[in-house]
Amino acid sequence: METDNLLRQIFSIPLDENKYLIYAPLKGIAFIGNVSLVNSIFEQCRSSGALWKTENLDFLHQLNFFLPEPFPVDEYKQSGTQYDAVILFLTNQCNLRCSYCYASSGEYPRKTMSWEIARDAIDYVMESVRLHNAPVMTLGFHGGGEPTLNWNILTRSVDYARCLADKNRVPLQVSGSFNGYWSRKILKYILNNFTELSLSFDGLPEVQNLQRPAMGNKESYPRVAETLHALDGADFPYGIRMTITNDTVDRLAESVAFICDNFHPQKIQVEPAFAEGRAIENHSLIKDIRVFIDQFMRAYSIAEKQKVTLFYSGARLNALTTRFCLAACRAFVVTTEGDVTTCFETYGREHPAGPRFFVGTYTGNGGFEINTEKRQKHFSRTVDEIPFCQNCYCKWHCAGDCEIKTTAASGDGFQPSRCLINQELIKYLILDKIKQNGGLLWVNHHQ
Amino acid sequence: MKVPRFQMQRIYSDGSKEEPKIYKIRDIQTDWRMGRRGFLLTSAIGTGVLSSCATTTIPPQTPQNERTGSCTEEINAHTGIVQSVRFSPDGRLLASGSSDNTIKLWEMPAGKLLKTLEAGKSIINSVCFSPDGKLLASGFSDSIKLWEISTGKLITTLKRNWSAVKSVCFSPDNKYIASGLTDNTIKLWEVPTEKLIITDTLARRTNFEKWEVPPGNLIYTLEGHSKTVNSVCFSPDGKLLASGSDDNSIKLWEMPAGKLFKTLKKHKYDVYSVCFSPDSMQLASGSLDDTIKLWDIPSGKLIKTLKGQSERINSVCFSADGKLIASGSDNNIIEVWELPTGKLLLSLKGNSNYNYIKSVDFSPDGRFLVSGFRDYTIKLWEMPSGKFITCLFDPAALERGKKANQYTVTNEYGQVITFTMPCGSPLPPGAICTCDCVPGTLYVAPPKSRTSTFCTCDKICTCVPIK
């Protein structure tokens, strides 16, 4: 059993003729060896008890390379779903017209979340927080539109959540995903009432203006840049989310350099455009992923020099997890119309995958009705349950990737459209770590 | 897509009969576009088992082109973008402000680092010496800090709101500091006066403070621009303050009244830099529209538009005699123009690849031009020849584990210039080795002969003749 466990924890990744990247993710150890070394390690793993020593490889024993590690445990399996975050999709409207918008925001008839739904969602989660003694409650804003366009509900929600949190003596975090195309008034409110933010921003002014124009095809860069400068000036913690399309993939590194030079985000998340909404009709999908990989690694190097964390969600080298997303575990995500969803991308009933991920609905009587069986099905999705991923060195880094992006429209079958990107980036990130650590061996001391 | 199978298993191939080996990556080429087969073929792989990386070969020295300022890689002044460079009024010091949150003071023209002022967590956008050379003002993303040059001591922090400070400038009479901000305003502050003040006397000890900081020293706020004010500059006669903004305009303000005098509106896009001529009769402005414009003061009339190969002019400055204008741009070009003809004299380039120039400044004696780059370097050029001299170097800006050595050469002006090279580089004849291979360790050894010598880097750097 132990032997099997050990063999399932060490991977050999072909690099070139007779060269393999040998990687033990749970130990955080990686180095490059020849075929003979791979086979020797294989034999050592299979030999129970007998220590096989080669003078040159003593260091592997010193690192306890041949002792199996416990597999990552899903901490939520025992506890089940316990909400401590309420995420509200306030509106389907937007003051930008991003070329790749997954929600085709602004094109549908206007929908906004009512105060009753927002209030009752906050109550629902506060009740869960009290029941499970959660250390903190989070109020977040997301969805297929710009949350600040439902300003009244946003501010009322913040005030109400703060009031409840104070009464129950629970710390409150307020965050959200926004476009930053704000007036002074909104900016001041955010600075004074939020604890952190994610801003969607695509970098170079020409890229931002091309991919994220304001309504009427106006340039959005000046105002968003002003927002970012204001956040920097206030030392406000925020992250930037960049979407990469086929039109601008060859400027990814330049855009990251631009961001690092001019702004101070804590982190930058880079994601390729996904085939949804306007991304389909605008052909936003990247045609040659090798360009994306090349540019990402250049950008990674640039960001690292400037001490900014750059990451892509499918290649999180420092993460060891069985779950890609916590939407079904901790976040109570409510759409504009009051549907409870287990996916941040299912913005509303117009989304073709909506019915698959909606697990509950607002009853109108001050509560929500949840289909617990359906929720449990999403809740149970961990990488251990995905046969495709079992022999892959990325499994604990991407954890099977995003469910909506990797399952067929019908919900059956695993369609790993981003697998190659995940594998290549993890591989290059490991090689980069080896290089940075002297060129021979990488040991991740964080694990 | 094929199901991934990377789990550890036996491999059957020709290589299985060799001895087990671990490969070392000496130099990974960052061409991530190579496929798996090509990935390691062009990188320098040494087969070895836990071998060290010592090499006895002398790495090739990057030739220094007079018109291209190519410093050897990693000879950096900072560990972040050099946002602002400024000579002191007497030309003996250079201040550089960087996004690595430090300000450095360099002895010029030797290029020797004198002091590093730690500025906390804020980006430094602008630095400026007081006319008497005693103070340095630095504009940050959230405040202005004033430093005493002789001691490196922080005297005071001026902060009134959260707007980022894009530019700072002292008035010629040393009384005021003007600052351009991202909230579209210009703020005028009173400068602390030098005065011994007894702060307290306790138990026979009297404490002194050398600088009297006036309370509430914001004098006024100038409003008029509709977007970020990127650059402010006092005229040398002190009568006017110029401001350049993202609203494409330049405004001239009467000083010290603060009354708007004129608005100049010929640039098509954001104005990033403004600078008065030494005689206060002209103003130069650099803009996102790739041009430099020369304006007549006080009429405000446009005299000339200069357009070369530069794109997006980040910085402009006049030489002390008013005969030259230098500009630094986003496409890595410094252009030097002759006045009043407007003829392009020099086109100087930095290293390529994602590089640009944020700031340029002439030395007061007109013999040097200094430029601050995105790639963390500060380059020194001889004027008016345009010959590249050196990159300023701080050993603390080296990557951990890297080493460099330094030597000095006396130029035709009799000035001693410091050069920095990677360890093991050959030295030109006449150079005096001032190796600093181990940061903090300095060993000075005169050359044994007038022939070429080279520095070795072991524990102590020594200079030995090449046989």
Side-chain angles (χ1 to χ4, degrees), chain A residues 99 104 107 277-284:
Chain A
S99 62
S104 300
E107 289 181 25
R278 279 200 279 269
I280 300 173
E281 69 202 56
N282 288 330
H283 308 289
S284 300

Side-chain angles (χ1 to χ4, degrees), chain A residues 7 10-12 15-16 18 32-34 36 39 43 59 233 257 261 264 297 391 428 431 438-440, chain B residues 4 6-8 10-11 18-19 21-25 32 34 36-37 39 49-50 81 123 141 356 374:
Chain A
L7 284 172
I10 305 176
F11 300 90
S12 54
L15 290 178
D16 202 344
N18 198 23
I32 302 170
N34 61 357
S36 190
N39 290 341
E43 289 304 325
F59 74 101
D261 290 349
H264 255 13
M297 291 309 300
N391 293 319
Y428 286 126
L431 289 171
L440 189 72
Chain B
F6 298 103
Q7 189 180 346
M8 176 62 67
R10 175 171 283 286
I11 301 169
E18 296 174 343
E19 280 299 304
K21 274 182 202 160
I22 294 180
Y23 290 103
K24 180 158 185 171
I25 300 174
W32 307 102
M34 280 190 277
R36 288 197 317 235
R37 181 162 288 278
F39 177 75
V49 179
L50 297 176
I81 301 164
I123 299 171
S141 52
Y356 54 75
R374 181 196 167 275

Side-chain angles (χ1 to χ4, degrees), chain A residues 206-220:
Chain A
E206 55 268 35
V207 173
Q208 168 75 8
N209 291 332
L210 176 71
Q211 297 191 163
R212 299 179 64 80
M215 283 170 57
N217 211 26
K218 287 188 198 158
E219 294 183 346
S220 65

Side-chain angles (χ1 to χ4, degrees), chain A residues 54-248:
Chain A
T54 297
E55 183 184 308
N56 294 337
L57 297 170
D58 258 350
F59 74 101
L60 283 180
H61 291 282
Q62 287 170 24
L63 292 170
N64 293 324
F65 188 78
F66 298 106
L67 294 179
E69 291 288 331
F71 289 109
V73 169
D74 176 34
E75 60 190 277
Y76 301 101
K77 218 162 214 167
Q78 294 300 320
S79 58
T81 298
Q82 290 182 8
Y83 295 120
D84 62 2
V86 53
I87 310 294
L88 304 177
F89 293 1
L90 290 186
T91 180
N92 67 348
Q93 296 300 296
C94 191
N95 43 13
L96 299 187
R97 291 292 180 269
C98 301
S99 62
Y100 48 72
C101 179
Y102 69 98
S104 300
S105 196
E107 289 181 25
Y108 294 109
R110 188 167 187 265
K111 284 181 188 162
T112 52
M113 180 178 275
S114 68
W115 169 236
E116 288 69 31
I117 294 175
R119 180 200 59 211
D120 290 347
I122 294 169
D123 285 343
Y124 190 94
V125 172
M126 179 52 78
E127 192 53 39
S128 172
V129 165
R130 281 215 314 245
L131 192 64
H132 301 113
N133 284 322
V136 70
M137 173 161 166
T138 301
L139 170 64
F141 301 98
H142 206 278
E146 167 61 21
T148 55
L149 292 183
N150 192 356
W151 187 243
N152 181 31
I153 304 302
L154 185 150
T155 51
R156 283 180 84 179
S157 301
V158 171
D159 291 343
Y160 183 68
R162 180 167 293 121
C163 182
L164 276 193
D166 284 344
K167 264 191 192 168
N168 292 284
R169 300 204 182 144
V170 173
L172 179 71
Q173 304 273 355
V174 183
S175 68
S177 299
F178 299 89
N179 64 21
Y181 193 73
W182 294 339
S183 64
R184 260 303 144 96
K185 174 185 147 198
I186 293 175
L187 179 55
K188 272 196 171 158
Y189 181 86
I190 300 284
L191 283 174
N192 288 316
N193 291 280
F194 277 61
T195 44
E196 59 181 354
L197 280 186
S198 170
L199 274 187
S200 296
F201 178 66
D202 288 350
L204 288 162
E206 55 268 35
V207 173
Q208 168 75 8
N209 291 332
L210 176 71
Q211 297 191 163
R212 299 179 64 80
M215 283 170 57
N217 211 26
K218 287 188 198 158
E219 294 183 346
S220 65
Y221 174 80
R223 205 191 286 191
V224 178
E226 194 177 318
T227 297
L228 291 170
H229 283 309
L231 296 176
D232 288 335
D235 270 337
F236 189 92
Y238 68 95
I240 282 178
R241 192 194 190 280
M242 283 175 70
T243 302
I244 312 301
T245 69
N246 195 56
D247 289 331
T248 54

Side-chain angles (χ1 to χ4, degrees), chain B residues 227-271:
Chain B
K227 289 187 181 177
T228 295
V229 178
N230 293 309
S231 178
V232 289
C233 180
F234 278 97
S235 59
D237 61 11
K239 291 180 181 172
L240 291 174
L241 176 74
S243 56
S245 165
D246 275 354
D247 64 9
N248 312 347
S249 76
I250 298 155
K251 286 188 187 296
L252 299 174
W253 312 82
E254 284 175 10
M255 285 287 122
K259 187 180 159 193
L260 178 64
F261 174 62
K262 255 190 181 51
T263 299
L264 312 176
K265 276 188 182 177
K266 293 279 187 184
H267 277 293
K268 284 184 191 167
Y269 298 115
D270 311 4
V271 178

